[in-house]
Amino acid sequence: MNVKNVSTSIFEDIIITNLTGYITLADVNTWFNSFEKTCFSFIKQDKKFKLLVNRKGYTPEHYSIQKLWKDKLFSNNILENSIAVAFLLEEGDILIHLEKSNTKGNVMFSSNYNQLIDWLTNYK
């Protein structure tokens, strides 16, 4: 069963955003509206934040959805205000490639939620 989760929440200075399950274009737009509002609640207060992006169990309805969510997530204003970004992904070739090719110290990829939360919590 591929249960949809397009939610965003806050844990201290970490914004946890979920875009998982069987995702349509409308789901990406719904997800982004909530995600953007949450990010801007920090930005308006001149506060930096950390991001945990949960994409584990993500199944797009159409290939164009992947581009849409990336374009929305990687807007300059959001990234300029984030301290660190962690991506929760399925185990497999894509995760291995991203882990090996990542050259940024403030970005982490993993299939282990607790590892990412610990990393973000301790990231300075």
Side-chain angles (χ1 to χ4, degrees), residues 9-69:
S9 59
I10 299 170
F11 172 72
E12 296 175 0
D13 64 343
I14 301 172
I15 296 173
I16 302 169
T17 190
N18 302 286
L19 186 61
T20 63
Y22 183 78
I23 304 298
T24 66
L25 286 172
D27 295 328
V28 173
N29 289 321
T30 299
W31 159 78
F32 187 72
N33 288 337
S34 171
F35 173 67
E36 185 178 46
K37 283 179 189 172
T38 304
C39 292
F40 277 103
S41 70
F42 279 82
I43 293 169
K44 284 186 229 172
Q45 298 175 47
D46 288 326
K47 290 184 178 179
K48 299 286 185 181
F49 51 86
K50 302 168 190 172
L51 289 175
L52 173 59
V53 181
N54 179 7
R55 296 295 306 281
K56 197 170 186 176
Y58 169 80
T59 306
E61 177 185 50
H62 187 266
Y63 70 88
S64 62
I65 292 171
Q66 180 73 4
K67 181 178 180 342
L68 178 64
W69 94 263

Side-chain angles (χ1 to χ4, degrees), residues 56-117:
K56 197 170 186 176
Y58 169 80
T59 306
E61 177 185 50
H62 187 266
Y63 70 88
S64 62
I65 292 171
Q66 180 73 4
K67 181 178 180 342
L68 178 64
W69 94 263
K70 281 175 34 181
D71 289 348
K72 289 183 175 288
L73 176 69
F74 294 109
S75 75
N76 286 335
N77 204 13
I78 290 173
L79 290 183
E80 287 172 358
N81 288 282
S82 63
I83 299 167
V85 183
F87 292 90
L88 181 64
L89 303 169
E90 292 287 334
E91 289 186 29
D93 292 342
I94 293 172
L95 176 58
I96 291 167
H97 170 75
L98 291 170
E99 288 174 325
K100 287 181 179 179
S101 62
N102 180 29
T103 59
K104 299 194 181 277
N106 67 337
V107 176
M108 184 176 194
F109 301 94
S110 178
S111 62
N112 184 314
Y113 179 86
N114 291 330
Q115 177 188 23
L116 292 175
I117 286 291

